[in-house]
Amino acid sequence: MTKDKQAEVMEKVREYGVRFIRLQFTDIHGILKNVAIPVNQLAKALDGELMFDGSSIDGFASIEESDMFLVPDADTFSIFPWRPSNGAVARLICDVYTPDKEPFAGDPRTNLKRVVKEAEEMGMVMNAGPECEFFLFLVDRQGQPLLHTQDQAAYFDLAPLDLGEDARRDIVCTLEDMGFEIEASHHEVAPGQHEIDFKYGPAVKIADDIMTYKLVVRAIAERHGLHASFMAKPIGGINGSGMHCHQSLWTLDGKNAFYDSGSPSQLSDIARWYTGGIIKHARSLAAVTNPGVNSYKRLVPGYEAPVYIAWSEKNRSCLIRVPAKRGASTRIEVRHPDPTCNPYMALAAMLAAGMDGIRNKIEPPLPVDANIYRMSREDREAMGIESLPGNLGEALEELARDEVIINALGPHIYTRFMEAKYDEWQRYNIEVHPWEVKEYLRRY
C-alpha cells in the first residue's frame, strides 16, 4: 500500500471517529473471517505487519507453517453503518501474505487476482453481476433459527403478504451507505425468500461485494429478530436459493467484447467461445459453484434451478441464458452457482473456463429454445444435452479430471478444497435433514 493510500485511510478514520477496525479475509469455504484492532494499531496493519495463525484457518496452512500476515486493501475501507456512530467501526478487506512478504497462494482473493491478471494478459477484463438470493427465518427464544419462514408470500408480492419488506429496505439502505449501487430488491418465489441486486463490476470487487452483502444481510436481519440464510435448499418442496452470475468480458480500452453489431444475434465470437468454455467445463465447475451436499438438492427439475447443460437467448431452463439487452449490456447469465460458494473461487473458475473457450475457439452447441424439463431422456440425448452432476461426490470426480479448473484454483487451494469436500461428502451423504439445519443454517 502506498503512503498516499495509507494517509487517505487515516484521514477517513479521523473524519468518522473510528475506534475499531475489522480486518477481513475469506477462507476456502467462503466463510468471512476477521480480527478487530483498535485504531492505534492501524498504522501497523497498513504496513502489513499484523500477524495471525494461518494454521487455525481451515484450508490455509499447516501447523509448521502457521505464520501469516494480513495486508489491507485501502480501496475497501468502509464504515459499518449499523454500529454506533460514537466509536465507529470500519472494515478493510485484506490479502494474505507469507512471512516472506509474498502473496499466499492459498488465499482465494489473491488467487482470483492471479486469474484476472492472466485474462488481462489476453486483453480481457471480466465484469460480473450476481443475483444472490436468501431466506429469512424466524428464531426461537435463544435466537437460534427455526425452519419457519417469516412469511408465505410469493414472487414480487408486497405487504401485507411480504413480511420481509422492512428488513429488506433496511438492508438496502445499509448497503447504499456502504457504497453499493442497488438496482432492485424484491420478494422471491418461495415463502420467506428474497433477492437484492447490485450493480456489476470487476471480478475482485464483486467478490468483495458478495462477502460484504452477505454480512450486511445477516447483521440487519438479526436486528429485525430474524435469521438470514444463504443455504442452497433449506426447505424441501419449494425453490432453493441461487446466485445467478451475469458476466461479460471487456477490452482493455473499455469496449464490451461480447457485442458484435454485425452478427445475426449481435453476439461476438468471443461471447460464443466464452459460452462454449463454460459449457465444456460445466460439470467440473459445479464442484466450485455448488460446493455442498445440500447444493445438489437445489439442482433438481421443477424448481427453476438449472439441471441441463445448454444455452439459449431466452430459455430459463438452460444452464446459460443470454439476456436480451445488447450494446454495453451484452452478457451471459450462468445460472447454476448458489450463494454458499466462495465467490473468489467461483469467479476464478468460471473466468478460467470461459478463457479456455476463447483460447481454443470452443463453439457452443446449438441454442435450445424448448423447455428442456419437458423433454424425454431420448430427446435430450439426441440433442447432446448433458446434465449437471447429481451430487457433490460426482462433481468432485469431475473436478479431479479437469486441469483447466484445477489450475484456476491453484495447487494449494485445489488440494485443501478437495480434502475438505471429500470429507463433507463422506460424512453427510445422507438424505435426512437435521444435519443440514445444524451445519448449513449455522454456517451459511
Side-chain angles (χ1 to χ4, degrees), residues 283-345:
R283 286 178 58 82
S284 53
L285 278 173
V288 184
T289 58
N290 307 86
V293 172
N294 177 259
S295 296
Y296 295 85
K297 296 187 177 183
R298 167 181 166 256
L299 299 178
V300 295
Y303 299 100
E304 298 190 15
V307 178
Y308 304 111
I309 303 171
W311 75 286
S312 172
E313 294 186 41
K314 50 190 173 183
N315 187 354
R316 292 176 184 265
S317 68
C318 290
L319 175 73
I320 298 175
R321 184 178 73 92
V322 182
K325 294 184 73 175
R326 292 294 185 265
S329 297
T330 308
R331 63 195 187 276
I332 66 170
E333 177 190 9
V334 182
R335 298 172 58 81
H336 66 305
D338 72 56
T340 64
C341 72
N342 180 313
Y344 301 99
M345 291 166 55

Side-chain angles (χ1 to χ4, degrees), residues 325-393:
K325 294 184 73 175
R326 292 294 185 265
S329 297
T330 308
R331 63 195 187 276
I332 66 170
E333 177 190 9
V334 182
R335 298 172 58 81
H336 66 305
D338 72 56
T340 64
C341 72
N342 180 313
Y344 301 99
M345 291 166 55
L347 288 174
M350 287 188 285
L351 176 56
M355 297 306 292
D356 181 56
I358 294 170
R359 287 189 190 96
N360 294 291
K361 298 183 178 180
I362 299 172
E363 287 289 347
L366 292 174
V368 179
D369 294 332
N371 188 338
I372 307 177
Y373 296 132
R374 295 179 181 175
M375 290 183 184
S376 66
R377 178 186 299 177
E378 291 75 18
D379 288 341
R380 292 196 303 271
E381 289 177 352
M383 297 180 69
I385 299 173
E386 291 188 277
S387 299
L388 289 170
N391 55 60
L392 178 60

Side-chain angles (χ1 to χ4, degrees), residues 123-144:
M124 300 293 171
V125 175
M126 181 195 206
N127 274 330
E131 298 177 359
C132 201
E133 298 169 340
F134 60 93
F135 280 84
L136 292 177
F137 288 101
L138 300 175
V139 299
D140 62 20
R141 292 182 179 179
Q142 288 73 44
Q144 297 301 308

Side-chain angles (χ1 to χ4, degrees), residues 190-205:
Q193 188 183 34
H194 305 268
E195 178 178 310
I196 299 171
D197 300 328
F198 51 89
K199 188 177 180 180
Y200 70 89
V204 176
K205 179 183 184 302

Side-chain angles (χ1 to χ4, degrees), residues 24-45:
Q24 299 179 337
F25 62 99
T26 302
D27 71 11
I28 63 169
H29 300 293
I31 304 299
L32 190 65
K33 303 290 185 179
N34 88 155
V35 57
I37 61 170
V39 72
N40 61 19
Q41 296 297 307
L42 179 57
K44 179 181 176 181

